[in-house]
Amino acid sequence: MIKLKGLVKQFAGAPRPAVDHLDLDVAAGEVCVLIGPSGCGKTTTMRMVNRLIEPTSGTIEVNGHDVTHMNPVELRRGIGYVIQQVGLFPHMTIAANIATVPHLLGWDETKVARRIDELLQLIGMEPESFRDRYPRELSGGQRQRIGVARALAADPPVLLMDEPFGAIDPINRARVQDEFLKIQRQLKKTVVFVTHDIDEAIKMGDRIALLRDGRLVQQAPPAEMLARPANGFVEDFVGADRALKRLSLITCVSLANPGSVVGAPEVSADTSARDGLAVMLESGARAINLAGGGVVRLEDFFARTG
């Protein structure tokens, strides 16, 4: 769906390219997370896809079309874009914010109204309660969800997300991340997602692309990057606790055995193994029971991380 080949961005006066001959493929329906140290070129790379930044050289293809030969305004109308600051228009209602691109595309009002309600339902916000509110009346997490809805309004095949949840407090960030993953399972958009947070990258990405000095160091599914880092830089970046991070990629039910332990704390079967282990350690127990049946013992976690 998205192919970057030999992509270069050299800013005037900079000693080296911000993006340096980058080759990257993002498959249709995949969430590809760009991550790396500050100044590694991840945001510059993402913003070249919709030509908010023009490339110096190289090619960018979206669905087989070279975007450098397309009208940039038309290109951007076909690509959803979500940023950390959300960028909702404060003087416009939630409905009017979501309808921005459909109105630019000339949709009739009946189709626009139907799409607004569909999207509010999709992000778990009741249309009757939210369509006539203003951004100032919403929480940060709600505004971010509206930002996602607005990006999806014209049903673009590609979604660009630049640190979209970075300004939300940790509890609501986790909830909004979960909401987005639920939506993505339904819609299967092709997503380029920029973050500086390795835990977020592991949670959100089907594939992680780690950049350094504008170059691709390793591109792999999260489990592979954690299990087999390409070099010392990758190993240091993902952290010394990468065995524990791998537990966030599986659920407790995948470790469960039949039976139960009297007095052990209970968690839902779809709790991540990492969260399940945390519950066990906090309680001082050596096992957790799963709602609906099954038990995970401390040695089961060790077997998976070892």
Side-chain angles (χ1 to χ4, degrees), residues 11-296:
F11 289 105
R16 60 172 178 80
V19 177
D20 192 0
H21 294 88
L22 178 63
D23 294 335
L24 184 69
D25 288 355
V26 184
E30 177 179 79
V31 179
C32 178
V33 178
L34 304 184
I35 193 168
S38 296
C40 71
K42 54 187 182 290
T43 295
T44 299
T45 297
M46 190 201 70
R47 297 184 77 189
M48 282 193 283
V49 174
N50 65 352
R51 291 178 60 194
L52 288 173
I53 294 175
E54 294 290 349
T56 302
S57 61
T59 61
I60 306 165
E61 291 187 5
V62 176
N63 201 22
H65 301 287
D66 186 340
V67 305
T68 61
H69 297 156
M70 299 176 65
N71 179 290
V73 175
E74 294 300 318
L75 170 68
R76 290 171 202 146
R77 288 178 183 174
I79 296 177
Y81 189 45
V82 186
I83 59 176
Q84 179 175 322
Q85 296 82 11
V86 186
L88 299 181
F89 300 113
H91 61 287
M92 292 167 56
T93 65
I94 297 310
N97 268 281
I98 294 173
T100 302
V101 173
H103 279 147
L104 290 172
L105 295 174
W107 290 19
D108 66 70
E109 289 302 324
T110 300
K111 183 179 179 182
V112 170
R114 184 169 59 247
R115 184 61 174 160
I116 291 167
D117 286 0
E118 286 174 355
L119 287 166
L120 286 172
Q121 292 280 9
L122 185 67
I123 62 173
M125 298 172 71
E126 178 57 43
E128 291 291 338
S129 299
F130 288 97
R131 71 164 77 91
D132 295 324
R133 293 193 191 183
Y134 287 84
R136 64 179 177 274
E137 300 176 84
L138 306 183
S139 69
Q142 288 172 331
R143 287 195 296 271
Q144 199 65 58
R145 285 152 73 187
I146 296 299
V148 172
R150 185 174 65 178
L152 294 171
D155 199 22
V158 172
L159 198 60
L160 306 179
M161 307 185 76
D162 189 4
E163 300 271 9
F165 311 134
I168 308 173
D169 66 88
I171 292 174
N172 283 308
R173 185 184 309 142
R175 290 173 180 164
V176 177
Q177 289 170 342
D178 291 341
E179 285 285 343
F180 177 76
L181 290 172
K182 180 180 176 182
I183 292 168
Q184 175 63 5
R185 283 192 291 269
Q186 295 179 56
L187 301 183
K188 292 293 184 183
K189 298 296 182 182
T190 303
V191 182
V192 178
F193 188 111
V194 168
T195 183
H196 66 277
D197 184 336
I198 186 62
D199 288 318
E200 183 169 64
I202 292 165
K203 179 175 182 177
M204 304 301 293
D206 297 306
R207 186 172 295 272
I208 298 173
L210 178 57
L211 306 182
R212 183 186 191 186
D213 296 333
R215 297 181 178 179
L216 182 65
V217 181
Q218 185 173 2
Q219 181 182 195
E224 180 180 332
M225 186 170 287
L226 290 171
R228 293 181 291 278
N231 55 33
F233 171 76
V234 180
E235 189 170 350
D236 289 343
F237 193 88
V238 299
D241 62 340
R242 55 194 176 94
L244 284 175
K245 287 184 170 75
R246 288 164 64 189
L247 289 178
S248 67
L249 298 172
I250 59 175
T251 57
C252 286
V253 71
S254 69
L255 303 177
N257 297 294
S260 63
V261 172
V262 175
E266 184 177 277
V267 301
S268 64
D270 61 356
T271 299
S272 77
R274 185 175 182 175
D275 289 345
L277 178 60
V279 169
M280 184 186 300
L281 295 176
E282 287 168 6
S283 70
R286 294 185 62 83
I288 50 173
N289 295 323
L290 303 189
V295 62
V296 184

